[in-house]
Amino acid sequence: MKKLLGFVLFFLLPCSWCVGGEDLLLPSKQIYDANGQPIRGFLSNRDTYYFPVTLGEISPWFIAAAVAGEDKRFYQHRGVDILSVLRAGWQNIQKKEVVSGASTLTQQLVRSVQPHHKTMWGKTTEALQALSWEQTHTKEEILEDYFNRLELGNMTQGIQAASQFYFGVDAGDVSLSQAAFLIGLAKSPTRYNPLKHFTRALKRRDYILERMLAENFIDEEMYQLAKEESITVRTPQRPFEAPHFTRFLRPFILPETTYIRTTLDGELQRYAQQLIKTYIAKLNDENVTNAALVVIENSTGAVLAYVGSADFNDVRHQGQVDGVRALRQPGSALKPFVYALAFEKGLLTPASLLEDEDTFFEGGFRPQNYDKSFHGQVSVRQALACSYNIPAVRAAEKMGASSLLDVLHAVGLSELTKPADFYGLGLALGNGEVQLLNLTNAYAVFARGGIYKPLTLSLDPLIQLPGKTKRVFSEQTSYLVSNILADNHARAAAFGLNSALAVPFELAAKTGTSKDYKDNFALAYTPRWTIGVWVGNFDASPMRRVSGVTGAGPIMHDLAIYLQKKYPSDPFKQPEGITQARVCTDSGLLAGKKCPHTREEIFISNRLPSVCDGNHFKEESHPQIISPSTADIYKWDPAVASGLQKMLWTAVCPNKPCIWILNGVKHPQQSCQVWWPLAIGKHQLELMCGSEKTSVRFEVLP
């Protein structure tokens, strides 16, 4: 008889019902922040929330409720309950309609795996498959599969998903009353949907409790207590936070993984999202519709915040585009890597002088500065801090585009896939396209003292992006770059002392604006964390002259203030091998006895420049303005009486009177030392010495 049954089943049953061949149901994935708070869930391959658990993780009340309410002879039959079939048939004949199906738990399981039409043949096939299933599975395995596949409404599949959705607890922690309530939904999840028909669902619970009492699974006292227990179905909670990040993360999650604790700080993520929305609303009149940001913990490479757009649901402005990974031109944001490479090779120091003047480079490349002016000889410190374009190209020219491209690849900007000749020296000004995510991690290399680390997206399980930890720059080189980018006075000539880059703690910061104002960036870091912000439009339309310091800069500024409170960071620690020395500002060399203008600067100890011999200062033949120097910045102090706020003009004019001309107006005093009352603004000071003329530019800030 068994052989005959097996023969019949062999021809009747689909291959998916061969032993071990049941259909594959992949679990849902629940994404949490670093503190264990849910941020998003992904559906199973059946578009349900499905979190499989073992039978041992399920409350015994579920087993009792299911057996009593759905299949009281579950442990006696072999897949089909003949007595129930006969009873149901008699009832259906009497009522002249189908009022009872007599399906066992095994048959219900079969139906959930492979639904059949409600026909005689469909029911027969279902019964045969149930018999087959019982031959190859234990009762415990059948119950485990049943509870995991049970559909209980509102896209919940399985007892674990339902317990969490309706009651906010795991399947092992429900009460008797709650277990009966959920099992009651199985008969018709739509009819008994507790979010719409709570009273019906409650009556169905009472019926299940009655069946449990009748089958002696509970006693009278337990029945009464369970029936009197107040059932509260919580408000549906299916969070949808960090959608761009979770979408990025999903391909890295193994199919069998259901719980993912990410690196995100949920509180920081929500603050960052709101911050972007606030600023984009302010910039709407400037044709700015979107922004993105990322925050990285330097020591681990953990992504603490990841906002891909101002509004994920904003269809008009393509909110589902991920600005953190979109390819954009970074503009001046690549300049720190130009100078870092020059420091590393010993070609430049922070005191080295570079000419900022109208220049044609190889291939007819003729860069212009953001302010459309030229600044003469400037130090590397000033050139990087003020983001002058021409000196950066001169620095890149010393090394070549190929070397620069190699170092950009080394810090993780692998999206620069074209050969060096394609970019040319324009690579120094960001003519290639990079991702904000990788650019931010590249800046974290400086924060880590020259170490590159791959990014970490998840803590449990551990998920890291491809790559290896490696040293790219020396600690000394990284410190020089960080020291310059944190020098608010050095950048004041271009940005002022109170720009968005200025904060009340040590912060290395840099902006970048692409050609035609299509993109702008603001990058900033402390030893503890690194920020990257992009502002622009996903349709590539230009903004109305919104630069990095006015677009992305304010977002970065407020985020940095918030982070310093939440994740306090110490100032940059000077490593061994750094020497501070006085330099001649007219030559960029160590100050000698004949140097009239000097200042303090830092160097890599084994790469100190030579001592200036003073040949740049020829007192006997050429006029020279000794004070002020070009690009000097002075600050008006409102606490000091205006009559006391003066600066000394000093010059050398061999055998001739010093004739001063300020902003085109001749000064009445013809002395080579003049005390001039400070006046707020940018000024050009000229010195006429006979037929010769020289000039400097300086600024007085309010």
Side-chain angles (χ1 to χ4, degrees), residues 313-366:
N313 296 313
D314 186 351
V315 177
R316 178 185 176 190
H317 298 117
Q318 304 174 57
Q320 293 192 20
V321 174
D322 187 351
V324 173
R325 292 188 294 135
L327 291 174
R328 297 289 172 178
Q329 288 192 344
S332 297
L334 294 188
K335 289 175 184 173
F337 304 99
V338 176
Y339 291 108
L341 183 58
F343 295 158
E344 195 79 358
K345 289 179 174 289
L347 299 176
L348 294 172
T349 73
S352 298
L353 299 181
L354 295 169
E355 287 288 345
D356 183 14
E357 58 187 17
D358 194 10
T359 306
F360 284 90
F361 292 91
E362 183 179 353
F365 181 41
R366 187 187 185 187

Side-chain angles (χ1 to χ4, degrees), residues 425-439:
L425 294 178
L427 187 59
L429 305 183
N431 65 354
E433 293 184 326
V434 301
Q435 295 181 4
L436 175 64
L437 182 66
N438 290 339
L439 182 60

Side-chain angles (χ1 to χ4, degrees), residues 201-211 223 226-227:
L202 203 60
K203 288 181 178 179
R204 181 66 183 171
R205 177 208 63 173
D206 293 346
Y207 168 78
I208 297 296
L209 289 173
E210 289 170 5
R211 296 304 308 149
Y223 167 76
K227 191 174 181 180

